[in-house]
Amino acid sequence: MKIFHSIAEMQKVSQELRQAHKTIGFVPTMGFLHEGHETLIKEAKQQNDVVVLSIFVNPLQFGPNEDFDAYPRDIKRDETIARKLKVDYLFYPATEEMYKSERATLIKVEKRVDVLCGKNRPGHFDGVATVVMKLFQIVMPHNVYFGMKDAQQVAVLEGLITDYHLLINLVRVNTVREHDGLAKSSRNVYLTEEERTEAPSLYRALLLGKDKILKGEEIDNVTQFVAKWINENTQAQLEYLEILSYPTLAKVTDTKKQESLIIAVAAKYSKARLIDNIVF
Ligand code: PAF
């Protein structure tokens, strides 16, 4: 595995790979790799000639009161995982390299952000879209891999790819779950034993909601039913429960329209904030 810190070096190699007609699969991350990332890397390995993994904790997507400084970092551990999974190139730039000169532009995400997690994180997806656009120019991938656990991020980035006519295929990778249905997350370790036993109920609630929608129930009724079910059957503090069109993330007016829907939840336990969703 080759490691690059410099944008120019990474770009040169990407250019050479493209000239040699190699397909480039790209997995952008902020590091502290977990099983979700491993799934993305494995899928990229299967579908491309070479795989590039980036690790960059992007200051632009953190709000003033968010945990940029405390964000977990362990590059040695990440390197070991990347080597084990046979990543070909690890791009690991410093902040000064990525934001070398004063930024003259910022990508402003105008749609798909005033709902779900974006509602409480103004500017977050502008930071994500801006850094991802930069990474795309550096790595020049054919295929990029993102997990559906962050379905809103996928929706925003699909919008970015469409709006800017990028010749990039975004591969949506399904959420990896524990045997009892709980979505895998590095935050699950913060659950107490009792909370861990109860937490799969969130996924169960989403499945109940999906079932009701498929049986033709009104969206507002289903939203209320699922929210009430979570409040009655779990100790989690419900932050949101929303049913929207996907990937446009707009209010659903007519369930008979042939469009995909997302039912998404965020709920807070004593130390862990969990998110989950189903797209169908
Ligand atoms: O999902 C993440 O880890 C980040 O938002 C991403 C896409 C790497 C951009 O910094």
Side-chain angles (χ1 to χ4, degrees):
M1 182 176 77
K2 290 215 169 85
I3 302 179
F4 294 123
H5 300 284
S6 129
I7 292 174
E9 269 176 0
M10 185 70 245
Q11 246 170 351
K12 185 165 169 286
V13 166
S14 299
Q15 241 157 0
E16 287 165 0
L17 288 167
R18 281 200 160 243
Q19 276 155 10
H21 302 291
K22 301 280 186 209
T23 51
I24 305 175
F26 179 37
V27 182
T29 78
M30 298 209 296
F32 213 67
L33 303 177
H34 53 68
E35 272 177 83
H37 296 118
E38 293 196 17
T39 311
L40 303 182
I41 295 169
K42 283 181 191 155
E43 192 140 341
K45 276 302 281 182
Q46 275 171 16
Q47 297 173 1
N48 299 275
D49 295 322
V50 294
V51 170
V52 180
L53 171 76
S54 69
I55 294 181
F56 177 62
V57 185
N58 172 35
L60 216 55
Q61 69 190 73
F62 288 81
N65 301 320
E66 293 179 1
D67 57 345
F68 173 71
D69 289 330
Y71 195 85
R73 295 160 170 89
D74 190 343
I75 187 64
K76 284 293 154 224
R77 184 181 150 277
D78 288 349
E79 265 184 51
T80 309
I81 295 173
R83 273 184 219 283
K84 186 190 82 192
L85 296 173
K86 302 206 172 0
V87 164
D88 299 282
Y89 299 97
L90 172 61
F91 178 53
Y92 177 52
T95 308
E96 304 73 50
E97 173 75 358
M98 282 296 275
Y99 297 110
K100 214 175 258 173
S101 48
E102 205 189 332
R103 232 179 344 95
T105 62
L106 175 77
I107 294 179
K108 173 113 190 71
V109 185
E110 295 192 315
K111 292 263 162 67
R112 311 180 179 190
V113 286
D114 53 354
V115 290
L116 309 177
C117 295
K119 205 162 35 186
N120 295 324
R121 298 187 77 183
H124 166 71
F125 285 110
D126 298 346
V128 171
T130 303
V131 81
V132 166
M133 184 62 133
K134 285 161 75 71
L135 290 167
F136 285 173
Q137 304 308 313
I138 298 165
V139 176
M140 303 177 204
H142 297 87
N143 300 305
V144 292
Y145 294 79
F146 289 94
M148 283 302 282
K149 175 105 189 310
D150 286 323
Q152 188 168 21
Q153 173 164 278
V154 169
V156 165
L157 295 176
E158 285 182 354
L160 178 84
I161 288 171
T162 305
D163 286 353
Y164 291 90
H165 317 288
L166 306 181
L167 293 174
I168 293 175
N169 172 44
L170 187 150
V171 181
R172 297 178 182 177
V173 179
N174 287 339
T175 302
V176 185
R177 299 187 178 278
E178 302 288 354
H179 65 280
D180 55 9
L182 177 66
K184 288 206 181 196
S185 160
S186 17
R187 295 202 173 90
N188 292 350
V189 295
Y190 299 127
L191 294 167
T192 64
E193 212 174 304
E194 194 190 340
E195 289 171 345
R196 173 63 191 82
T197 313
E198 189 195 274
S201 297
L202 295 177
Y203 181 52
R204 230 168 285 145
L206 298 181
L207 291 173
L208 283 176
K210 174 183 168 183
D211 196 48
K212 284 192 176 289
I213 294 167
L214 292 178
K215 285 187 175 136
E217 283 204 30
E218 288 282 316
I219 295 292
D220 286 349
N221 293 346
V222 179
T223 308
Q224 276 172 26
F225 169 84
V226 180
K228 191 161 171 266
W229 192 94
I230 292 173
N231 285 329
E232 285 173 359
N233 290 279
T234 77
Q235 289 165 40
Q237 205 68 39
L238 188 60
E239 199 177 286
Y240 64 70
L241 184 285
E242 292 187 63
I243 301 172
L244 301 164
S245 61
Y246 193 83
T248 42
L249 300 185
K251 200 170 156 43
V252 185
T253 44
D254 179 4
T255 42
K256 288 178 194 69
K257 262 204 325 215
Q258 289 295 313
E259 62 181 348
S260 294
L261 300 180
I262 181 170
I263 171 161
V265 64
K268 183 107 182 33
Y269 276 103
S270 54
K271 286 210 188 93
R273 177 183 177 274
L274 304 185
I275 57 167
D276 200 356
N277 71 77
I278 316 180
V279 173
F280 58 102

